[in-house]
Amino acid sequence: MDLVALADNLLSRLLGVGMQSLLLAALVWALCRYLPRLDARTRAWLWWLVAAQMVVGLVWHAPVALPLLPAEPATAQVAMVASGEALPAFAAAGATEPVVPSAAFAQEASLDAGVLLLIAWLAGVAVMLANTVRQAWQLRRQIARARPCRDRQAREEYHALGRHLGIRALPVLQVSDDIDSPQLARPWRPVLMLPAAALARMNADDLRMSLHHELAHLQRRDLWWAWMPALAQHLFFFHPVAHFAAREYSLAREVACDAAVLADERHAPRDYGRLLVKLGVSTAPSPALAGASPTFRILKRRLLMLQHTASPLRTSALAVTVGIVLLGVVPYRVIASSTPVTPVATAVPVAATPVAAPVIAAQADPVAAPTPVAAPRAVVVAAAGDMPAPPAPPAAPRVRAPAAPTPPAPPPMRGTWSIGGARDGDAYVLIQDNEVTMAGHSDDIRIARTLQQGKAPVLWIREDGKQYILRDAATVQRVKAAHAPVEALGAQQGKLGEQQGALGERQGDLGVKQGELGVKMAAIATERASAALQGSRASDAEIDRRLDALAQEQEALARQQEVLSRQQEPLARQQEALSRRQVAATEQMQREVKRLLDDAIRSGKAQQL
């Protein structure tokens, strides 16, 4: 009986917490959807709170009771008014023996169902734990196979970046042949691993950005905080909200680290986006690991979010987070109000004629003796003068003047940006129509805007601490043409990335099907465990047949995954070749623009300000 009570209590909590988490996740999704300027750090905390609500709600002893439902009405009191003693006689004579239904069979069925559901939940949690242990073991072996980093440039850049960020105890820097992107592993005694194959091809800027991203995870303590969404996934493996919240939290923390890298103002969003495309995708096997994007869809979302790395909603974000904590995370239970609604007692007139007691025949159905109907009373209608005055007519509604239409937002700025360097260093900004082509600090765009005359193209230059303005159309077009090869290669990389993303989505769909088959196999295993507990062996052959069929489907899906992986390999090689061409084209563009600007200054076409 104790096992049955435990099963009922646990299942009721799982159901209640699941419904509350659904409402909380919908609220958080709406906030992130309709507040696009909400920074990634706040988004990460909001989705972390969704996972925390699921875990806290399951282990909380007594949920907070909210008396929001209407109170149950009390039993109506009916006063029987009579002039004789017939009513007590009727009550005494009409008393019958209570009927007690037999519920033994229904009770046993409900007990068996609750215990079976408890066993199924425990089996699912055990499968999730086994998978996590396997991934942790693989990570441990991967760390054991890694070797210390001997690259002098990487070590010097790593220690310089640690001093710049104020990190006293840096993780051990190692090189691994088993990874494709930099990864920070293990919350205790953390290790930062670099891919051995890609390390030799990384330039100084790419290496610095990669190391900064992983150290941002260390500063945010992401590997420790990630255990809450992982725990919610284990306990609520059947609930889509748990997996959705964990995925959105993982994306938000990666975007928060991306924003931390770009906030240092030493790297341009365009250069950082190119680095993300180079790194591609790499599935993180456990919560104790932070690395590249797990899917192409997540990579695409990270690239889009690079346009909104800064948020002016600091105070509002704090208020939203506190509100979510107070309203959504604490588990609650909606109950009826404690104050019952007492109906007014109704007096029913009864005639004084005595009522005979019911007589039960021996061989017929029991029929009560007819009761005489009481004489109706006269109905008194009030006079017209006693009637209340009619209510006054309602006041005319106020009509508000329509609000003035909101002016259209200015068109977005397009072009090629390379933001970085000191505020007073060499820089240039070319504004033509609504396109901006620049290399310098972000404040330089505002300076160039103030010098533009209408929609005429303008080229602002700062060299050796002096500022120049150039309005010569031919020079402006030559500077614009120097950027054309770089932009063309970027467009090719974008199209190639779309092809990789399409293949990645197909791989994701196959992964979903494999997961569904895994759930079916787990259900069949639970069925076998239940049959074993009951001592039945008759259905073993049928269960084996069903498991074999599911295993064959899994093998077919695995073969399709292998085919898609082979299709991804040439695309990755093409992407790498385009990246090398992009680096060469960028260097050529910088030299050509430098020559054009120097010629314009020497010839006097660029006027000093």
Side-chain angles (χ1 to χ4, degrees):
M1 192 65 182
D2 293 338
L3 181 60
V4 175
L6 175 62
D8 293 341
N9 186 23
L10 182 59
L11 293 177
S12 63
R13 288 194 182 186
L14 289 173
L15 179 61
V17 173
M19 293 301 297
Q20 183 180 351
S21 65
L22 189 62
L23 298 176
L24 182 60
L27 175 61
V28 172
W29 178 87
L31 290 174
C32 297
R33 174 68 174 82
Y34 295 104
L35 292 178
R37 293 187 299 170
L38 200 63
D39 60 280
R41 181 177 59 179
T42 303
R43 293 171 183 260
W45 276 115
L46 291 178
W47 287 114
W48 187 90
L49 290 174
V50 173
Q53 179 268 330
M54 304 184 79
V55 177
V56 173
L58 187 61
V59 300
W60 196 285
H61 178 67
V64 178
L66 297 180
L68 301 179
L69 298 178
E72 297 181 358
T75 305
Q77 301 290 337
V78 181
M80 307 297 292
V81 181
S83 59
E85 299 295 334
L87 289 178
F90 173 79
T96 58
E97 295 183 359
V99 178
V100 181
S102 175
F105 177 78
Q107 184 178 6
E108 290 178 1
S110 63
L111 298 183
D112 293 341
V115 173
L116 288 179
L117 289 175
L118 176 62
I119 295 174
W121 179 78
L122 292 175
V125 174
V127 171
M128 295 290 293
L129 287 176
N131 189 37
T132 301
V133 171
R134 178 181 60 83
Q135 293 172 351
W137 180 255
Q138 292 178 354
L139 177 60
R140 182 179 178 182
R141 295 178 57 189
Q142 182 176 308
I143 295 175
R145 288 193 299 267
R147 57 188 181 276
C149 180
R150 303 298 183 186
D151 191 294
R152 182 178 178 182
Q153 179 185 2
R155 288 189 286 108
E156 291 179 354
E157 190 65 40
Y158 184 55
H159 290 287
L161 187 59
R163 290 190 298 270
H164 175 70
L165 298 177
I167 302 176
R168 296 182 179 178
L170 287 172
V172 179
L173 185 63
Q174 294 185 343
V175 177
S176 174
D177 296 323
D178 301 328
I179 59 178
D180 300 322
S181 62
Q183 293 178 354
L184 180 67
R186 206 166 54 192
W188 62 94
R189 293 184 292 109
V191 176
L192 201 160
M193 294 183 292
L194 297 176
L199 181 59
R201 299 192 302 268
M202 280 188 178
N203 55 38
D205 289 337
D206 290 348
L207 180 61
R208 187 183 304 111
M209 288 187 291
S210 300
L211 293 174
H212 194 165
H213 180 94
E214 301 304 323
L215 290 180
H217 281 297
L218 181 69
Q219 288 183 310
R220 288 169 42 85
R221 295 179 175 84
D222 283 337
L223 297 184
W224 288 108
W225 293 109
W227 284 106
M228 183 64 77
L231 184 58
Q233 282 186 293
H234 284 67
L235 296 177
F236 293 85
F237 59 91
F238 56 90
H239 205 311
V241 168
H243 302 282
F244 183 77
R247 187 190 70 185
E248 292 299 315
Y249 166 76
S250 177
L251 170 64
R253 76 174 187 179
E254 294 298 328
V255 175
C257 294
D258 296 340
V261 176
L262 296 179
D264 200 28
E265 297 187 349
R266 295 197 296 179
H267 309 289
R270 181 169 171 270
D271 297 334
Y272 190 77
R274 186 170 65 250
L275 173 63
L276 294 181
V277 174
K278 287 182 182 179
L279 295 178
V281 298
S282 178
T283 304
S286 71
L289 188 65
S293 303
T295 63
F296 284 98
R297 183 176 299 177
I298 297 298
L299 174 60
K300 183 177 180 180
R301 291 179 64 182
R302 287 179 65 183
L303 293 174
L304 293 176
M305 288 183 179
L306 290 179
Q307 304 173 4
H308 306 284
T309 55
S311 172
L313 303 177
R314 298 295 182 184
T315 305
S316 302
L318 179 61
V320 167
T321 305
V322 174
I324 293 295
V325 171
L326 296 179
L327 297 179
V329 176
V330 177
Y332 58 84
R333 181 167 53 94
V334 179
I335 62 173
S337 177
S338 59
T339 305
V341 179
T342 305
V344 180
T346 305
V348 180
V350 182
T353 307
V355 182
V359 179
I360 301 176
Q363 301 295 331
D365 294 335
V367 179
T371 304
V373 180
R377 294 185 178 182
V379 179
V380 181
V381 180
D386 299 332
M387 298 294 291
R398 297 181 179 179
V399 180
R400 296 184 178 179
T406 305
M413 298 170 61
R414 297 177 290 109
T416 305
W417 297 23
S418 179
I419 301 177
R423 292 179 181 269
D424 56 351
D426 293 348
Y428 66 90
V429 178
L430 169 61
I431 302 178
Q432 185 178 19
D433 296 331
N434 199 42
E435 293 188 2
V436 176
T437 303
M438 67 158 299
H441 197 271
S442 57
D443 293 342
D444 298 335
I445 302 177
R446 177 179 52 81
I447 300 175
R449 280 293 191 190
T450 59
L451 299 173
Q452 188 179 17
Q453 297 177 354
K455 295 185 178 180
V458 61
L459 177 58
W460 173 86
I461 308 168
R462 182 174 58 227
E463 187 169 335
D464 296 333
K466 300 178 182 179
Q467 298 186 22
Y468 303 87
I469 187 71
L470 175 65
R471 304 186 190 275
D472 181 62
T475 305
V476 168
Q477 291 301 326
R478 284 194 291 269
V479 173
K480 186 67 178 176
H483 290 80
V486 176
E487 295 177 357
L489 288 174
Q492 295 180 28
Q493 286 181 308
K495 293 180 180 179
L496 194 59
E498 291 179 358
Q499 298 179 20
Q500 291 177 309
L503 289 177
E505 290 183 1
R506 292 173 59 186
Q507 288 179 309
D509 294 338
L510 291 177
V512 171
K513 294 180 181 179
Q514 289 177 313
E516 293 175 354
L517 290 178
V519 172
K520 292 180 181 179
M521 296 176 73
I524 295 176
T526 304
E527 181 180 347
R528 166 174 286 179
S530 175
L533 290 176
Q534 297 177 358
S536 174
R537 297 291 182 181
S539 59
D540 284 353
E542 176 64 19
I543 291 176
D544 291 339
R545 186 189 64 78
R546 292 162 59 188
L547 286 175
D548 291 341
L550 292 177
Q552 293 177 2
E553 294 183 26
Q554 284 279 23
E555 292 178 359
L557 293 176
R559 288 192 294 269
Q560 297 180 34
Q561 286 278 22
E562 186 177 356
V563 171
L564 292 177
S565 299
R566 287 196 296 268
Q567 296 178 11
Q568 285 280 17
E569 291 178 358
L571 295 179
R573 288 192 294 270
Q574 296 177 32
Q575 193 71 261
E576 185 178 357
L578 288 176
S579 299
R580 290 194 295 268
R581 293 174 57 190
Q582 184 72 267
V583 172
T586 301
E587 294 176 353
Q588 176 65 26
M589 178 268 295
Q590 291 173 350
R591 288 192 297 267
E592 179 65 17
V593 170
K594 175 67 174 175
R595 184 187 64 80
L596 291 173
L597 297 183
D598 291 343
D599 291 346
I601 293 174
R602 283 194 301 268
S603 64
K605 295 179 181 179
Q607 301 176 2
Q608 184 176 353
L609 299 177

